[in-house]
């Protein structure tokens, strides 16, 4: 059995006041039951210490939205290392989000290095992959995803580190658009992702958690999470509203 993981990507939203209020609201509403899914939030870097201070000892965990490929330190202006993230209690890190790929031109080679660094530091990387609308319409969905998954090739000789890997399928056309993939569309891709990972890392494929991301909301979470290969959600906009995020977390139990 794979444990559900619900992840909230706060992107570059919030300030000290609103983030403190969001944390309070989440902590007051979250249920500490044995069936509750694992839940993680990804605040912007400057708020990691605030989040760590408030969430330590709670059922919520936290992580970072990005990391530097080099570790533990060096001349990398503007970057943050895995060791630094660990010092702030991060257990997870997002890698290769489509906004990093598109806006900051992150390529698969760099993403592979970041994955390696995260795994070596015993962080749990959430590798984000997804196709654009044009690619889907041109029938290229699977070839794009296969290429993005090929970043796992360089990690093949370290199957034990790969047990910490998580993948998020986020079709770019569904991110922030209000237009989610249908549960059937997502399920089809998730099953293919698992099969591909079986090729690179046979020992982890059945345990691998594949999250869906892209306009997940309280209204569509339960039907997406009911699919056999959807093991959780990576939530953007709706994770900034405590009520909505809690409803998504609770949808894992329905
Ligand atoms: P969204 O974002 O839920 O606002 O579509 C998801 C993401 O970018 O991770």
């Amino acid at each position: 059995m794979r444990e559900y993981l619900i992840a909230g990507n706060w992107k570059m939203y919030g300030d000290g006041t609103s983030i403190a209020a969001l944390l309070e609201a989440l902590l007051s509403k979250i249920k500490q039951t044995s069936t509750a899914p694992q839940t993680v939030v990804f605040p912007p870097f400057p708020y990691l210490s605030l989040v760590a201070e408030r969430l330590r000892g709670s059922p919520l965990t936290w992580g970072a939205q990005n990391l530097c490929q080099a570790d533990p330190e060096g001349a990398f202006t503007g970057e943050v290392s895995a060791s630094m993230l660990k010092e702030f209690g991060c257990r997870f890190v997002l890698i290769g989000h489509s906004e990093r790929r598109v806006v900051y031109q992150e390529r698969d080679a760099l993403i592979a290095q970041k994955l390696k660094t995260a795994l070596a530091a015993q962080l749990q990387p959430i590798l984000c992959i997804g196709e654009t609308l044009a690619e889907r319409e041109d029938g290229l969905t699977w070839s794009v995803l296969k290429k993005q998954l090929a970043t796992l090739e360089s990690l093949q000789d370290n199957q034990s580190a790969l047990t910490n890997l998580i993948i998020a399928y986020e079709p770019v056309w569904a991110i922030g658009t209000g237009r989610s993939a249908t549960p059937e569309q997502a399920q089809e891709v998730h099953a293919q992702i698992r099969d591909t990972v079986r090729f690179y890392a046979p020992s982890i494929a059945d345990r691998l958690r594949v999250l869906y991301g892209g306009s997940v909301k309280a209204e569509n979470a339960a039907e997406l999470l009911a699919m056999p290969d959807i093991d959780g959600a990576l939530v953007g906009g709706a994770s900034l509203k405590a009520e909505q995020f809690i409803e998504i977390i609770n949808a894992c139990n329905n």
Side-chain angles (χ1 to χ4, degrees):
M1 263 302 267
R2 297 183 290 267
E3 186 188 11
Y4 279 120
L5 175 66
I6 302 295
N9 175 10
W10 293 350
K11 308 194 180 187
M12 198 176 71
Y13 288 104
D15 56 27
T17 309
S18 68
I19 287 180
L22 179 54
L23 292 169
E24 287 320 307
L26 288 174
L27 286 172
S28 69
K29 292 184 175 73
I30 194 120
K31 291 193 198 111
Q32 206 159 2
T33 60
S34 56
T35 54
Q38 198 175 26
T39 304
V40 51
V41 294
F42 294 90
F45 285 130
Y47 304 109
L48 276 175
S49 69
L50 169 73
V51 169
E53 183 193 304
R54 301 287 161 96
L55 296 188
R56 198 160 277 130
S58 83
L60 294 163
T61 52
W62 60 97
Q65 298 173 17
N66 185 23
L67 92 172
C68 182
Q69 71 279 15
D71 192 45
E73 58 184 10
F76 295 94
T77 303
E79 293 291 307
V80 178
S81 75
S83 302
M84 292 169 182
L85 297 180
K86 301 257 314 194
E87 197 176 339
F88 286 90
C90 291
R91 284 176 51 195
F92 297 85
V93 62
L94 300 179
I95 295 183
H97 189 282
S98 68
E99 286 148 20
R100 303 289 322 167
R101 292 179 190 261
V102 174
V103 186
Y104 299 99
Q105 305 286 302
E106 284 192 11
R107 297 285 171 255
D108 288 324
L110 176 64
I111 289 167
Q113 284 179 23
K114 290 186 177 199
L115 270 178
K116 214 172 202 158
T117 302
L119 290 169
Q122 272 153 8
L123 285 162
Q124 297 188 57
I126 301 182
L127 170 65
C128 304
I129 61 173
E131 81 287 3
T132 63
L133 185 60
E135 288 162 346
R136 176 163 277 262
E137 286 176 347
D138 287 346
L140 297 173
T141 300
W142 192 240
S143 62
V144 168
L145 296 178
K146 241 167 66 184
K147 187 172 159 287
Q148 292 172 342
L149 284 172
T151 48
L152 300 180
E153 207 169 81
S154 60
L155 302 164
Q156 258 173 313
D157 34 345
N158 195 351
Q159 302 259 327
S160 67
L162 278 174
T163 53
N164 275 332
L165 176 74
I166 297 160
I167 290 178
Y169 169 54
E170 296 203 303
V172 180
W173 47 270
I175 295 179
T177 58
R179 181 184 164 196
S180 158
T182 65
E184 293 73 23
Q185 273 174 330
Q187 166 58 29
E188 187 187 353
V189 172
H190 282 224
Q192 276 175 304
I193 290 172
R194 198 178 304 287
D195 274 350
T196 305
V197 171
R198 190 165 281 119
F199 171 75
Y200 291 114
S203 61
I204 66 149
D206 289 324
R207 274 179 291 157
L208 174 79
R209 289 185 286 183
V210 186
L211 316 183
Y212 169 76
S215 295
V216 176
K217 337 177 236 280
E219 300 79 52
N220 62 11
E223 53 177 13
L224 285 160
L225 292 165
M227 291 289 152
D229 286 292
I230 301 185
D231 307 309
L234 179 53
V235 187
S239 71
L240 291 161
K241 296 174 198 111
E243 296 276 341
Q244 286 233 13
F245 195 47
I246 293 284
E247 273 191 58
I248 294 168
I249 295 166
N250 291 342
C252 291
N253 295 329
N254 296 339

